[in-house]
Amino acid sequence: MALLSVLHSSPIHKPRLQFHQSPVTSRRCLSIVSCSSSTFDPGPATGTNGFPPEPIVSKNRRQTDENIRDEARRHHSTTKTTFSAKYVPFNAGPDSTEFYSLDEIVYRSRSGGLLDVQHDMEELKKFDGAYWRELFDSRVGKTTWPYGSGVWSKKEWVLPEIDPDDIVSAFEGNSNLFWAERFGKQFLGMDDLWVKHCGISHTGSFKDLGMTVLVSQVNRLRKLKRPVVGVGCASTGDTSAALSAYCAAAGIPSIVFLPANKISIAQLVQPIANGAFVLSIDTDFDGCMKLIREVTSELPIYLANSLNSLRLEGQKTAAIEILQQFDWEVPDWVIVPGGNLGNIYAFYKGFKMCQELGLVDRIPRLVCAQAANANPLYLYYKSGWNGFQPVKANSTYASAIQIGDPVSIDRAVYALKNSNGIVEEATEEELMDAMSLADSTGMFICPHTGVALTALIKLRNSGVIGPQDRTVVVSTAHGLKFTQSKVDYHSNAIPDMACRYANSPVQVKADFGSVMDVLKKFLENKTPKTEVGK
């Protein structure tokens, strides 16, 4: 009890015109071959006429003395890849000549600004949108290493030069795009509302998408004998869980800075269980972030926070995955909870790459949703983007976005401006009510998704989002990681909160008459009176 007290601190949808741009009509497309086991390694080499090689197909099961990594090694081409990526200063002008190899350990540009991973788009454009659509679709649901991952199935757009043998993956991604039929119809008058459950992942949050990329690159750096003894992060919970899990899988030490008494039990126990070195620090996330940046500048510990742009390369694949799940049709709106703000830029980047490379003809409008208790982006947006000011983040049930000085503020503003985007906020009562309503329709979401749903409700009520708009709400973590918040709500135990949708257990005596009395009262409220007692 003493420990506990310390810890406590796809259905049918309406038809739409499909976009099948094929700007290079002479391009040959992939042929999909049905077989029991196949590997396809298109990125590393170009075949005849400058095209990637055709799929290498094995109609028989792999050899009994090899696993899927061994099979990938056997089929892997030794020809040098023509695709590449590098670090460049974020939003640098066309005259900038500053860049860095991804094998360098660097987090900031020479001016102190953010970095971005820039792909060789001209090389990628040698293959048209139809080619890339068919390639990515051909890998879904396979166990072929590493393409069974929703992230690494887009390897050419993520880390094109990494050897598959260096990849650390739990086959993350490929998460459910849930048709929120009842919630949409009953509460919003919408037939085309979807929730992208990114929390249905290895560690229960979308952070896995970025961490598989970052830890894979660290694995490569260590094999290249770069000075990296471990990987560290500041976290409000989910980042530390993902980091510790992937480092444990790779046998790499992980170091986690957590704000004391500010995360859920489930989030705290995950890095502990995965063997991370956990420091519980008497500060908030922003304080932890300041400390980890100072530490990683002095010690050979690789920084894993979203200041590191590698993370965003994995997170952007969720946007590409949404397009895949809609058969490459573009939704009208995508709503993303925002804390440190790397994720909203990652979604923009994924959608934009698909547009630039001809997979789709437009990008959706983006909405970033913040908790009112930690809302620096919302205040900046409401000011007309006039003078950003960090805030002191107050306590919020959406603890993973309790960040007052977000690292990726410039990235977020860029994404929103270039997608005709909007920023909304949710009070504690609004986000908890929205979470409860969603749960009552069959979901089991986290408070951060409650923030995003609140933004949707407000934009729908104001008429900004129309009843026929195809809208995707991004759910960033699994509700099971935030059970205490649900207990508090349904127990009416939150001070100064009405908890109007609370559903507390009914205490009843252990006899037939008492049970029948409460059941009849319940059914009278749920069933037409003519049917009660039949």
Side-chain angles (χ1 to χ4, degrees):
M1 291 302 294
L3 175 61
L4 282 177
S5 66
V6 172
L7 295 176
H8 246 297
S9 54
S10 218
I12 297 174
H13 49 77
K14 63 187 180 188
R16 295 193 172 203
L17 292 176
Q18 293 198 24
F19 177 70
H20 292 299
Q21 180 182 3
S22 185
V24 188
T25 56
S26 62
R27 293 283 182 231
R28 66 183 180 183
C29 292
L30 274 174
S31 55
I32 306 301
V33 183
S34 177
C35 58
S36 59
S37 175
S38 66
T39 56
F40 181 21
D41 190 4
T46 53
T48 59
N49 301 320
F51 291 97
E54 295 295 331
I56 302 171
V57 177
S58 171
K59 291 183 178 297
N60 300 311
R61 186 171 176 171
R62 65 177 175 271
Q63 299 172 17
T64 56
D65 62 344
E66 69 177 5
N67 58 38
I68 58 174
R69 275 192 190 270
D70 297 328
E71 184 182 40
R73 291 188 194 107
R74 181 160 53 85
H75 289 305
H76 184 54
S77 171
T78 58
T79 307
K80 182 175 175 60
T81 179
T82 60
F83 304 127
S84 63
K86 59 189 177 185
Y87 294 122
V88 298
F90 170 72
N91 202 20
D95 296 333
S96 174
T97 59
E98 183 182 356
F99 71 91
Y100 306 91
S101 164
L102 297 188
D103 292 335
E104 293 187 57
I105 300 173
V106 56
Y107 312 115
R108 291 277 195 179
S109 69
R110 285 194 292 266
S111 66
L114 298 169
L115 293 174
D116 199 14
V117 175
Q118 182 184 85
H119 291 263
D120 185 345
M121 297 296 284
E122 293 307 311
E123 197 65 34
L124 292 171
K125 285 178 182 178
K126 290 181 178 179
F127 308 97
D128 66 8
Y131 172 80
W132 289 116
R133 286 195 300 263
E134 195 163 359
L135 171 60
F136 294 160
D137 287 346
S138 73
R139 294 167 171 171
V140 174
K142 303 298 190 296
T143 57
T144 306
W145 184 265
Y147 304 127
S149 160
V151 172
W152 296 108
S153 64
K154 288 87 175 170
K155 178 178 180 293
E156 297 80 11
W157 293 19
V158 178
L159 287 185
E161 296 174 275
I162 195 170
D163 192 300
D165 205 40
D166 293 338
I167 290 173
V168 183
S169 173
F171 278 14
E172 52 288 307
N174 295 321
S175 58
N176 179 24
L177 184 60
F178 173 80
W179 183 34
E181 179 183 16
R182 186 179 163 208
F183 186 91
K185 288 180 178 179
Q186 181 172 337
F187 301 120
L188 297 168
M190 300 177 71
D191 286 327
D192 217 354
L193 174 63
W194 301 78
V195 177
K196 177 64 171 169
H197 281 297
C198 292
I200 303 176
S201 191
H202 180 57
T203 70
S205 90
F206 79 96
K207 303 286 189 178
D208 295 345
L209 303 179
M211 207 57 74
T212 180
V213 177
L214 184 140
V215 175
S216 294
Q217 181 63 13
V218 170
N219 199 34
R220 170 182 166 89
L221 292 174
R222 285 164 63 89
K223 290 183 180 182
L224 293 173
K225 307 300 182 184
R226 298 292 193 272
V228 178
V229 298
V231 189
C233 75
S235 178
T236 48
D238 289 335
T239 300
S240 66
L243 174 65
S244 59
Y246 283 88
C247 282
I252 300 172
S254 58
I255 301 98
V256 171
F257 288 19
L258 294 176
N261 306 318
K262 290 183 174 65
I263 67 172
S264 72
I265 299 172
Q267 290 174 303
L268 175 58
V269 77
Q270 283 183 288
I272 291 172
N274 284 135
F277 185 64
V278 179
L279 285 74
S280 180
I281 302 175
D282 186 21
T283 183
D284 57 10
F285 170 81
D286 295 314
C288 288
M289 187 69 212
K290 180 177 183 294
L291 286 168
I292 193 69
R293 288 174 63 179
E294 292 172 345
V295 167
T296 54
S297 68
E298 296 293 329
L299 296 175
I301 298 170
Y302 195 82
L303 180 64
N305 284 98
S306 57
L307 174 65
N308 189 319
S309 53
L310 284 174
R311 288 256 308 275
L312 307 185
E313 293 305 292
Q315 290 165 208
K316 79 183 181 188
T317 63
I320 305 169
E321 201 169 285
I322 288 171
L323 296 176
Q324 278 186 285
Q325 289 169 310
F326 283 135
D327 295 325
W328 301 101
E329 295 178 1
V330 181
D332 299 303
W333 297 88
V334 175
I335 304 175
V336 185
N340 220 13
L341 302 181
N343 214 23
I344 191 72
Y345 177 67
F347 272 83
Y348 170 79
K349 191 172 185 182
F351 288 128
K352 192 63 179 177
M353 280 191 75
C354 286
Q355 182 189 37
E356 289 184 7
L357 292 170
L359 285 75
V360 296
D361 63 347
R362 64 184 179 89
I363 66 172
R365 292 187 68 181
L366 298 178
V367 177
C368 189
Q370 292 209 293
N373 282 0
N375 63 350
L377 179 66
Y378 175 76
L379 296 176
Y380 191 24
Y381 171 77
K382 296 299 285 186
S383 74
W385 306 121
N386 182 26
F388 173 75
Q389 293 292 330
V391 301
K392 175 66 176 177
N394 294 315
S395 178
T396 171
Y397 276 99
S399 57
I401 57 176
Q402 185 179 324
I403 298 169
D405 190 10
V407 167
S408 292
I409 179 65
D410 293 338
R411 291 170 174 151
V413 173
Y414 181 89
L416 291 161
K417 286 183 176 180
N418 285 279
S419 64
N420 193 20
I422 294 173
V423 187
E424 255 302 348
E425 68 172 355
T427 67
E428 293 302 288
E429 186 157 358
E430 287 171 338
L431 73 89
M432 294 297 284
D433 283 347
M435 179 179 72
S436 180
L437 284 175
D439 289 353
S440 74
T441 65
M443 290 183 267
F444 195 74
I445 63 167
C446 64
H448 317 83
T449 310
V451 174
L453 286 173
T454 298
L456 168 63
I457 292 167
K458 289 182 174 181
L459 292 172
R460 178 71 193 93
N461 288 341
S462 66
V464 175
I465 293 180
Q468 302 304 317
D469 289 353
R470 175 173 288 171
T471 303
V472 178
V473 171
V474 176
S475 180
T476 56
H478 202 293
L480 285 172
K481 301 178 84 167
F482 300 91
T483 52
Q484 188 58 50
S485 67
K486 296 177 184 289
V487 169
D488 292 345
Y489 184 91
H490 290 290
S491 301
N492 287 286
I494 304 176
D496 302 319
M497 187 178 292
C499 302
R500 60 178 57 87
Y501 305 112
N503 183 28
S504 302
V506 177
Q507 300 294 323
V508 60
K509 294 180 180 178
D511 67 78
F512 179 75
S514 298
V515 171
M516 286 296 290
D517 287 343
V518 297
L519 284 176
K520 286 181 179 180
K521 184 176 181 180
F522 168 75
L523 293 173
E524 284 175 356
N525 295 325
K526 296 292 182 180
T527 312
K529 292 185 181 301
T530 55
E531 297 182 10
V532 175
K534 284 187 178 180

